[in-house]
Amino acid sequence: MSAAVCGGVFASPPYQEVLAAIEHVANENGVLVVIKNYTGDVINFELASDLARSHGHKVMTLIVEDDIALGENETIGRRALAGTVLLYKILGAAANELSLEDLHKFGTRVLTNLHTIGVSFSACSLPGYPPMYKLGDDEMEIGLGIHGEKGLERVKSKTCQELIDDLVPRFEKFIQKGDEVVVLVNNLGACTDLEIMIIVRTLFARLSKSGI
């Protein structure tokens, strides 16, 4: 991992900044650009990658779409969520051993086995603005996006065990008994370390019970 290009809060960076980053890290082995599947990101990062190629750089792109909440949207496909972090780590290590073409192929394989869902007890807000939507004190949102997009459904608040028992079956079309998996429990912003550890312990017990 050699560069990250950040835009404003919940906004894509302009293509000029992405291009500058690509050209800053470019070398004879080439550059793999990882893009989260949001319209602005895809447009600006792909445009920058095309321009970098026209400048003589070897560039390939991967688009992350690990969200399983909303399924395949005909317009934009799946959103990118926390699974992107695992992809960064895996490809960052693999880049030491693989060519750009092989790294791209390997990344594509990883993406087919990368699945994420988001859960929150409250909506997020842009600095200086009210929350994007209201959740009742006894409600939670399942399947929201990283920019606060509404999720798949709004349900009554669950205990940790109830939540894990709800979420794990949503992954059963992707994993089954006997599989080995890597689990990333990602904090969307308001959980304490203690709460995260409770979630991890509960999830580990549930997966072990399922033979995963």
Side-chain angles (χ1 to χ4, degrees), residues 26-48:
N27 57 69
E28 67 277 6
N29 297 314
V31 180
L32 180 64
V33 179
V34 178
I35 310 169
K36 293 186 180 72
N37 191 33
Y38 297 95
T39 304
D41 288 346
V42 173
I43 290 172
N44 288 334
F45 279 77
E46 289 284 16
L47 174 58

Side-chain angles (χ1 to χ4, degrees), residues 37-39 63 65-80 143 149-152 173:
N37 191 33
Y38 297 95
T39 304
I63 297 178
E65 39 186 10
D66 56 317
D67 180 23
I68 67 168
L70 303 180
E72 292 292 348
N73 182 295
E74 292 182 2
T75 305
I76 62 169
R78 299 179 189 272
R79 301 173 298 196
E149 303 98 333
K150 285 191 176 183
L152 176 67
K173 64 190 290 188

Side-chain angles (χ1 to χ4, degrees), residues 2 23 37 40 76 87 106 115 122 130 146 164 172 191 198:
S2 301
E23 294 188 324
N37 191 33
I76 62 169
L87 185 73
F106 178 54
H115 313 293
S122 61
I146 56 174
I164 296 302
E172 285 179 345
C191 285
I198 292 171

